[in-house]
């Protein structure tokens, strides 16, 4: 139904989903005079520069330009840096991350494995001599030193480049200092492995020993001359890395932090501020109990500040636990059927809000990200996420227009990032005392299309849904349906944001009614909604079916031609749909699917399914490769395309190969599309572009749709 079927896939790939050129990664100076951020020069430029915005005068200046600093040379990334970017799903180039001192006057960053520092007031940058490849450099709070990791050692150098030295060096090839282990970065939201003391005289430092972790080999069959990559991968039920924590001085003297690591092996979160002793959040392996511990940095002893238990699992939340400036514990908890913000022992929110993250804590309030709670949610609030100020006097919403909002704050200056359904991309406003004063320009390309999307709810459980029709569709003729979910934990797809629906709209413009449904297990409604999938991922499929059948009563959906596509958890869901419910789904595209959950990592999989040894029935029921996984009530077998990157180190290609083997043994026809050199994300332009085109071709062939 579109006259230029190739234009959107090409632009979508070239602009990395229209994100290039958009400002990101904001830091506000404590005095509110400066906002630091990253941005590339255009909507097709991958190389981010470091920028500074003067909030008083409104002028911008470049503090560090990667092209100038590298003299035009191309970037050379170490395997460790590539792995870090894969964990964070980073597809950009140039300066992709930075850290600052407390005053936000000095920034440090790694570029092509080299160490750089930028004077943010002057707008100048310089290279600091350091052995590489450099990973995660961070200035001390007073700006006098920069700590970083190189070749598994935690090192420190003076801010002027003097006195570089190793504070801790690995004792073997399996040991590293100052880095997050795989599951911390992939599943816990902890990408760091060291933290400066507020007084800048010492650091907390993680020591990771991967010896207990099984080794897997990831090869590229398209290049048999290359050696396979040997990676430690902690699959469900197998050994994790051993993580210990030390306080280490600038002289290299260290003191181990002591807690019951046998009972609480997961180091999930670390917070060290001037408001109190260092805080740790440590979890039991089954994630049903956790402790918040305060550390005595002189002795390494810990004392319990708070303990949590939950019969299903305990979630982790960005920004907490932490201290308030007055020394009260700030945390997010599931209490009374709601997700609440608690300061001290007192909950400050109730069922009206579903708190997602703590963004900033001041002496007067806590800035949080939240959606409407289960009791307050309705169709009008579907897909919205707002920023709120919370204190003992009540709750005040900072973001006003319907949409998805995030914020960064220091002092009386807030950077508010807002995405809405009626505006492409995100708008970045600088607020002072809650009033807009500046806008940070974006260079992102306009997609040239606006989704024709209806946010609604479907089924008896009021599953949040987005329904998209072709932009030139004005009739009542029922359309073939494409379900386009993620459908699982951490992956909310039904959001009130324009660009989130661009790919779904492009599929709709090819002649489909596209339905995106966020069933139980997805975030955003209530703890009970998210935890309903405990020991049974297949509830995700039940909600897709219920939503589809209910929406067909209100929208022109042709239920005789229904397909489903998805990636990662959504890929598993697509495979499950055509195998378990061929009466509903007539074709599926499973991208990077987790087909055998015993091959996925410990912290994620065991949270939901337990261990394979203790709960084999949960793994069998949720598997695509067991006899139960392949069972379906009747013929015919539905067409299934399996897509997988051969270099994927998160959902390894063994998942796709095991599914293909099981389907072949069962006599089930299917197609396999291997992507050479592609990881769990597909940043390569040609791959990303042609992958969309090939999917449309498969769907039309499978559903018998003729192209005019």
């Amino acid at each position: 139904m579109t006259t230029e079927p190739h234009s959107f896939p090409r632009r979508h790939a070239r602009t990395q989903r229209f994100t290039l050129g958009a400002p990101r990664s904001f830091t506000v100076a404590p005095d509110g005079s400066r906002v630091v951020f990253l941005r590339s020069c255009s909507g097709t430029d991958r190389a981010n520069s470091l920028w500074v915005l003067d909030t008083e005068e409104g002028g911008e200046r470049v503090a560090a330009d990667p092209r100038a600093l590298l003299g035009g040379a191309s970037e050379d990334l170490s395997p460790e840096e590539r792995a870090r970017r894969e964990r964070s799903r980073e597809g950009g180039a140039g300066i992709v991350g930075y850290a600052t001192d407390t005053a936000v006057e000095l920034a440090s960053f790694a570029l092509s494995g080299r160490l750089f520092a930028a004077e943010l007031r002057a707008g100048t940058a310089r290279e600091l001599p350091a052995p590489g490849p450099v990973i995660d450099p961070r200035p001390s709070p007073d700006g006098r030193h920069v700590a970083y990791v190189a070749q598994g050692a935690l090192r420190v150098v003076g801010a002027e480049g003097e006195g570089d030295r190793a504070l801790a060096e690995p004792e073997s090839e399996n040991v590293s200092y100052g880095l997050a282990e795989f599951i911390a970065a992939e599943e816990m939201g902890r990408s760091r492995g060291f933290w400066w003391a507020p007084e800048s005289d010492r650091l907390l430092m993680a020591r990771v020993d991967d010896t207990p972790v099984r080794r897997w080999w990831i090869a590229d069959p398209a290049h048999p001359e290359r050696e396979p990559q040997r990676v430690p991968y902690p699959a469900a039920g197998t050994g994790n890395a051993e993580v210990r924590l030390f306080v280490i001085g600038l002289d290299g003297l260290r003191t181990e932090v002591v807690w019951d690591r046998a009972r609480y092996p997961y180091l999930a979160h670390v917070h060290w501020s001037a408001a109190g002793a260092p805080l740790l959040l440590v979890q039991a392996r089954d994630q049903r109990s956790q402790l918040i511990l305060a550390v005595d940095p002189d002795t390494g002893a810990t004392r319990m500040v708070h303990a949590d238990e939950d019969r299903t699992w305990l979630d982790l939340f960005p920004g907490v636990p932490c201290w308030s400036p007055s020394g009260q514990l700030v945390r997010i908890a599931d209490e009374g059927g709601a997700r609440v913000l608690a300061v001290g022992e007192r909950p400050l929110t109730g069922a009206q809000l579903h708190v997602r993250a703590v963004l900033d804590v001041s002496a007067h309030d806590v800035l949080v990200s939240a959606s409407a709670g289960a009791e307050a949610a309705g169709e009008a609030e579907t897909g919205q996420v707002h920023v709120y100020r919370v204190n003992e006097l009540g709750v005040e919403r900072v973001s006003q227009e319907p949409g998805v909002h995030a914020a960064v704050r220091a002092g009386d200056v807030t950077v508010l990032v807002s995405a809405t359904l009626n505006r492409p991309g995100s708008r970045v406003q600088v607020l002072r005392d809650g009033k807009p004063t500046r806008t940070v320009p974006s260079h992102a390309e306009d997609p040239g299309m606006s989704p024709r999307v209806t946010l609604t709810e479907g089924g008896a459980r009021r599953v949040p849904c987005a329904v998209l029709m072709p932009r030139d569709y004005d009739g009542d003729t029922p359309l073939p349906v494409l379900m386009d979910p993620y459908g699982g934990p951490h992956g909310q797809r039904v959001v009130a944001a324009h660009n989130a629906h661009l790919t779904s709209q492009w599929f709709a413009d090819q002649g489909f009614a596209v339905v995106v449904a966020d069933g139980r297990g997805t975030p955003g409604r209530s703890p009970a909604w998210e935890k309903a999938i405990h020991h049974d991922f297949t509830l995700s499929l039940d909600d897709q079916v219920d939503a589809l059948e209910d929406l067909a009563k209100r929208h022109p959906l042709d239920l005789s031609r229904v397909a489903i596509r998805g990636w990662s958890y959504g890929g598993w869901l697509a495979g499950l749909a055509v195998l378990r419910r061929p009466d509903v789904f007539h074709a599926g595209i499973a991208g990077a699917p987790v087909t055998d959950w015993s091959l996925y990592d410990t912290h994620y999989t065991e949270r939901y399914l337990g261990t394979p040894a203790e709960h084999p029935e949960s793994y069998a029921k949720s598997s695509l490769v067991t006899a139960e996984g392949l069972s379906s009530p009747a013929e015919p077998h539905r067409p299934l395309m399996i897509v997988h990157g051969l270099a994927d180190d998160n959902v390894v290609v063994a998942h796709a190969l095991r599914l293909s083997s099981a389907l072949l043994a069962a006599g089930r026809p299917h197609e396999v599309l291997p992507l050479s050199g592609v990881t769990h994300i597909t940043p390569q332009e040609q791959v990303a572009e042609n992958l969309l085109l090939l999917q449309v071709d498969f769907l039309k062939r499978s559903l018998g749709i003729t192209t005019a």
Side-chain angles (χ1 to χ4, degrees):
M1 288 188 177
T2 179
T3 58
E4 296 181 357
H6 295 272
S7 61
F8 174 80
R10 184 173 296 120
R11 295 182 65 222
H12 185 259
R14 187 170 299 156
T15 62
Q16 292 192 1
R17 302 173 302 281
F18 301 96
T19 61
L20 298 179
R24 50 176 260 200
S25 305
F26 300 94
T27 303
V28 181
D31 62 2
S33 64
R34 299 175 301 288
V35 173
V36 185
F37 61 96
L38 300 177
R39 187 181 60 201
S40 63
C41 294
S42 75
T44 57
D45 180 16
R46 294 179 61 239
N48 290 289
S49 296
L50 185 67
W51 293 79
V52 178
L53 169 71
D54 186 319
T55 59
E56 298 292 341
E57 302 296 329
E60 294 180 353
R61 63 179 182 275
V62 177
D65 180 344
R67 292 180 177 87
L69 293 174
L70 294 180
S74 59
E75 288 187 76
D76 181 18
L77 301 181
S78 67
E80 293 83 2
E81 179 61 23
R82 291 185 187 278
R84 278 175 54 84
R85 296 190 184 193
E86 183 69 21
R87 301 285 72 78
S88 62
R89 309 298 187 261
E90 174 61 66
I95 305 170
V96 300
Y98 68 95
T100 73
D101 60 355
T102 299
V104 191
E105 295 184 351
L106 179 74
S108 63
F109 54 91
L111 187 58
S112 199
R114 294 152 57 184
L115 175 60
F116 292 88
E119 298 287 349
L120 298 175
R121 287 187 183 272
T124 58
R126 63 185 182 276
E127 183 173 1
L128 303 181
V134 170
I135 297 175
D136 195 27
R138 294 181 175 273
S140 57
D142 63 9
R144 297 177 61 189
H145 297 89
V146 177
Y148 65 96
V149 178
Q151 299 178 341
L154 179 64
R155 305 183 67 89
V156 66
V157 63
E160 299 298 327
E162 76 284 1
D164 182 272
R165 60 197 182 278
L167 298 182
E169 296 183 277
E171 297 84 1
S172 73
E173 64 176 1
N174 296 334
V175 172
S176 66
Y177 285 95
L179 294 177
E181 73 276 20
F182 175 91
I183 55 171
E186 183 68 41
E187 309 297 359
M188 299 182 200
R190 178 172 66 80
S191 60
R192 302 172 56 181
F194 67 90
W195 300 263
W196 278 101
E199 299 81 13
S200 302
D201 59 341
R202 48 190 169 179
L203 305 95
L204 277 169
M205 170 188 69
R207 179 187 187 273
V208 174
D209 185 350
D210 276 329
T211 302
V213 183
R214 288 183 181 177
R215 264 46 181 180
W216 285 5
W217 298 88
I218 298 177
D220 186 352
H223 293 278
E225 76 280 4
R226 296 177 183 172
E227 288 191 5
Q229 181 184 3
R230 184 172 182 258
V231 298
Y233 190 94
T238 69
N240 280 311
E242 180 187 78
V243 180
R244 298 162 64 186
L245 193 66
F246 294 86
V247 178
I248 189 163
L250 296 183
D251 56 3
L253 294 178
R254 69 176 79 171
T255 302
E256 184 164 6
V257 177
V258 179
W259 77 92
D260 186 354
R261 289 190 296 111
R263 177 73 181 90
Y264 300 97
Y266 288 140
L267 177 64
H269 183 79
V270 177
H271 167 79
W272 200 353
S273 71
L279 281 178
L280 312 181
L281 175 60
V282 295
Q283 282 190 326
R285 179 151 178 171
D286 65 10
Q287 298 172 64
R288 296 182 181 184
S289 62
Q290 64 187 25
L291 301 178
I292 299 174
L293 304 173
V295 180
D296 183 336
D298 294 324
T299 67
T302 57
R303 61 178 175 84
M304 188 182 72
V305 178
H306 186 84
D308 286 303
E309 292 188 357
D310 191 283
R311 63 181 182 180
T312 50
W313 71 74
L314 291 158
D315 277 305
L316 301 173
F317 306 102
V320 288
C322 66
W323 296 118
S324 73
S326 62
Q328 290 186 295
L329 181 66
V330 180
R331 59 190 178 91
I332 297 173
D334 294 346
E335 295 182 2
R339 184 152 294 159
V340 302
L341 171 72
V343 177
E345 292 301 317
R346 178 181 175 185
L348 296 187
T349 62
Q352 79 277 17
L353 287 187
H354 185 74
V355 180
R356 295 165 174 255
V358 167
L359 307 175
D360 182 57
V361 182
S362 74
H364 308 292
D365 58 39
V366 181
L367 198 70
V368 303
S369 168
S371 46
E375 294 185 9
E379 193 167 89
E381 290 80 27
T382 298
Q384 295 192 44
V385 181
H386 285 280
V387 175
Y388 296 85
R389 294 176 59 242
V390 181
N391 58 28
E392 293 183 352
L393 300 178
V395 175
E396 176 188 355
R397 201 167 91 179
V398 175
S399 51
Q400 296 302 319
E401 56 185 344
V404 177
H405 306 267
V408 175
R409 184 180 71 172
D412 60 356
V413 170
T414 301
V415 176
L416 182 66
V417 183
S418 303
T420 66
L421 279 174
N422 58 8
R423 185 178 60 236
S426 296
R427 181 174 66 184
V428 179
Q429 294 178 292
V430 179
L431 314 180
R432 189 177 290 275
D433 293 325
K435 299 177 181 178
T437 60
R438 307 286 176 195
T439 299
V440 182
S442 173
H443 303 322
E445 285 199 3
D446 189 311
M449 60 185 286
S450 292
R452 181 176 174 174
V453 58
T454 301
L455 299 184
T456 184
E457 296 176 340
R461 281 181 287 273
R462 297 171 43 231
V463 173
C465 296
V467 180
L468 298 100
M469 292 296 184
R471 285 173 294 159
D472 58 0
Y473 177 74
D474 293 319
D476 297 323
T477 303
L479 294 174
V481 182
L482 175 62
M483 302 290 286
D484 191 16
Y486 180 81
H490 317 294
Q492 184 178 2
R493 286 284 315 281
V494 180
V495 292
H498 180 282
N499 284 22
H501 302 287
L502 290 174
T503 302
S504 295
Q505 183 62 58
W506 181 78
F507 275 102
D509 288 344
Q510 312 313 305
F512 297 92
V514 177
V515 174
V516 182
D518 283 347
R520 286 169 292 176
T522 57
R525 175 161 288 185
S526 71
W529 179 267
E530 297 179 15
K531 296 178 181 180
I533 59 170
H534 195 220
H535 291 311
D536 188 2
F537 281 151
T538 67
L539 295 181
S540 302
L541 177 58
D542 296 341
D543 288 351
Q544 296 292 316
V545 174
D546 291 348
L548 171 66
E549 292 176 344
D550 184 50
L551 291 173
K553 300 172 184 176
R554 293 172 273 144
H555 299 273
L557 309 182
D558 180 358
L559 296 187
S560 69
R561 295 184 293 175
V562 178
I564 182 170
R565 68 180 287 270
W567 195 267
S568 196
Y569 191 99
W572 165 81
L573 187 53
L576 187 76
V578 296
L579 294 175
R580 302 279 180 93
R581 294 301 303 269
D583 56 319
V584 176
F585 298 96
H586 307 97
I589 300 173
V594 182
T595 65
D596 181 349
W597 287 99
S598 67
L599 288 180
Y600 201 58
D601 71 50
T602 51
H603 193 269
Y604 181 98
T605 316
E606 293 173 10
R607 179 189 312 134
Y608 306 116
L609 300 181
T611 63
E614 294 175 344
H615 297 280
E617 72 289 346
S618 297
Y619 282 77
K621 186 173 185 179
S622 297
S623 171
L624 302 185
V625 300
T626 61
E628 184 175 355
L630 292 172
S631 65
S632 61
E635 301 283 354
H637 299 152
R638 301 303 190 185
L640 175 63
M641 173 188 276
I642 306 167
V643 185
H644 217 118
L646 299 182
D648 196 335
D649 68 350
N650 179 24
V651 183
V652 295
V653 74
H655 287 273
L657 297 177
R658 289 191 182 186
L659 177 58
S660 179
S661 296
L663 293 171
L664 184 63
R668 291 176 176 265
H670 61 284
E671 300 179 20
V672 179
L673 181 60
L675 306 176
S676 177
V678 172
T679 61
H680 201 58
I681 55 177
T682 53
Q684 299 90 335
E685 285 185 22
Q686 287 184 328
V687 172
E689 173 188 353
N690 290 317
L691 189 54
L692 288 179
L693 298 172
L694 289 170
Q695 288 181 66
V696 168
D697 176 71
F698 172 82
L699 293 171
K700 289 186 174 181
R701 284 190 286 113
S702 301
L703 297 180
I705 300 172
T706 58
T707 303

